[in-house]
Amino acid sequence: MITAKSYAVQSHTAKFAPHPIQRRDLRPNDVHISISHCGICHSDLHTARGEWQGTTYPCVPGHEIVGKVVAVGPKVTGFKNDDYVGVGCIVDSCQDCPSCAEGLEQYCQKGFIGTYNSKDKQTGENTLGGYSDQIVVDEKFVLRMPENLDPKKAAPLLCAGITLWSPLRHWGAGKGKKVGINGLGGLGHMGVKLAHALGAHVVLFTTSEGKREDAKRLGADEVVISKNKDEMAKHANTFDLIVDTVSAPHELDTGIGLLKRDGTYVMVGASPENHPPLNHWPFILGRRSFAGSLIGGIKETQEMLDFCGEHNIVSETEVVAIQQIEEAYTRMAKSDVKYRFVIDMASINK
Ligand code: NAP
Ligand code: ZN
């Protein structure tokens, strides 16, 4: 086994603390990665704090991982030592069901194996994520990082980036389309950047007046304060697509009313509590749809990374030491981050 350092929580009320862990000995197709940076996703907080139920402790979150390859198993063909690589939210899947066959491992019908808080298929052990200095992952689930993307800014592409890229592509965001992004956090700011780069007219919905100028700088054509009914009403019946990244329960009918006929409202925010019930009339009267979307498959994640490499798209990050996770969580819960915390893993040795 490989001994690694990590930061873990031991219960939903515990604070993060150093926690030595074992990574598995390399299987033939495994890649051993030295982690340089790991983003802090709101899903990490929901999981560590037990907000979604079903967290196994000790829990080591982290699924926005970048680093360098330090060893490969004998059957690895796609990677070699020193390659700049990434690992996102998925480390395994059945690779047999129709979803896996289509490269949509996130919808694996037997359940994908998450980078953390899942059961390893072979050992049944709880998977441990990227708040750690090392990880071992099957090469099928390792991504090639474009060399021009700075690791401390590129790490969030592995979850925040792909979680927005997948619905934007699936629902055809691009030239001639009006696309709304609700919430300017880690996911939302990547949604603004990606939808803008795809050529859509982008409108950012936020509850934070103070984020208005930033949103424009990041690529929003217009910014709407979502709590202001008059501002919202100006956009009634005009959107092709709205992607909602908000992490807490909120009223949805107003936003759905902004869709034009046949428009789609896609939920990616994973609030632990239900939203208020929906009014069904806007769906009937306007043939509108309500949908959800989960991260993205490995193939589309690589496509997104290559697109970001070509267009020089990275996340706006605030780099923190691993000893600052608690502070980062407190600020993230208050929507006070511009726009993603990323852990500099060198700090784990302090
Ligand atoms: P984040 O950085 O904390 O951003 C969430 C944003 O939502 C905040 O910045 C804030 O934006 C807005 N917000 C928060 N509380 C709100 C409230 N009570 N009412 C209205 N707006 C509120 O979180 P994130 O990392 O982007 O993640 C967002 C959500 O997506 C989380 O629930 C996470 O678990 C989930 N997620 C889902 C997937 C998926 O595959 N579907 C993948 C990753 C994460 P403003 O200040 O602009 O209003
Ligand atoms: Zn995430």
Side-chain angles (χ1 to χ4, degrees), residues 42-43 46 184 186-187 206-208 211 245 268 270 293 295 340:
H42 209 117
S43 301
H46 290 313
L184 195 68
L187 267 56
T206 178
T207 58
S208 307
K211 293 182 182 174
T245 74
V268 297
S293 184
I295 46 178
R340 195 56 136 191

Side-chain angles (χ1 to χ4, degrees), residues 1-5 20-23 133-134:
M1 297 291 258
I2 300 162
T3 302
K5 294 177 179 172
I21 55 171
Q22 300 294 315
R23 298 296 189 184
D133 62 346
Q134 303 169 61

Side-chain angles (χ1 to χ4, degrees), residues 81-99:
N81 282 7
D82 227 30
D83 281 356
Y84 174 28
V85 294
V87 177
C89 306
I90 310 177
V91 292
D92 209 351
S93 71
C94 84
Q95 294 171 50
D96 195 34
C97 72
S99 293

Side-chain angles (χ1 to χ4, degrees), residues 30-34 67-73 75-85 139 142-144 147:
D30 275 348
V31 177
H32 180 187
I33 299 163
S34 166
K68 292 266 176 181
V69 175
V70 289
V72 294
K75 290 200 171 158
V76 170
T77 55
F79 299 95
K80 58 179 188 332
N81 282 7
D82 227 30
D83 281 356
Y84 174 28
V85 294
E139 72 166 324
V142 178
L143 286 309
R144 287 182 309 279
E147 290 293 334

Side-chain angles (χ1 to χ4, degrees), residues 254-282:
T254 310
I256 288 160
L258 304 189
L259 296 171
K260 65 183 182 193
R261 194 202 70 223
D262 293 327
T264 307
Y265 196 98
V266 181
M267 182 58 69
V268 297
S271 166
E273 294 94 36
N274 283 331
H275 301 286
L278 297 181
N279 174 5
H280 53 266
W281 285 108

Side-chain angles (χ1 to χ4, degrees), residues 52-71:
W52 281 338
Q53 313 295 328
T55 303
T56 301
Y57 298 97
C59 172
V60 179
H63 56 204
E64 294 184 336
I65 299 167
V66 293
K68 292 266 176 181
V69 175
V70 289

Side-chain angles (χ1 to χ4, degrees), residues 104 106-107 162-171 187 241-244 265-270 290-297 300:
L104 296 169
Q106 74 275 35
Y107 302 116
I162 184 58
T163 301
L164 272 292
W165 176 260
S166 185
L168 289 171
R169 296 290 286 162
H170 183 76
W171 277 280
L187 267 56
L241 172 68
I242 296 176
V243 185
D244 188 330
Y265 196 98
V266 181
M267 182 58 69
V268 297
F290 188 82
S293 184
L294 179 64
I295 46 178
E300 57 183 340

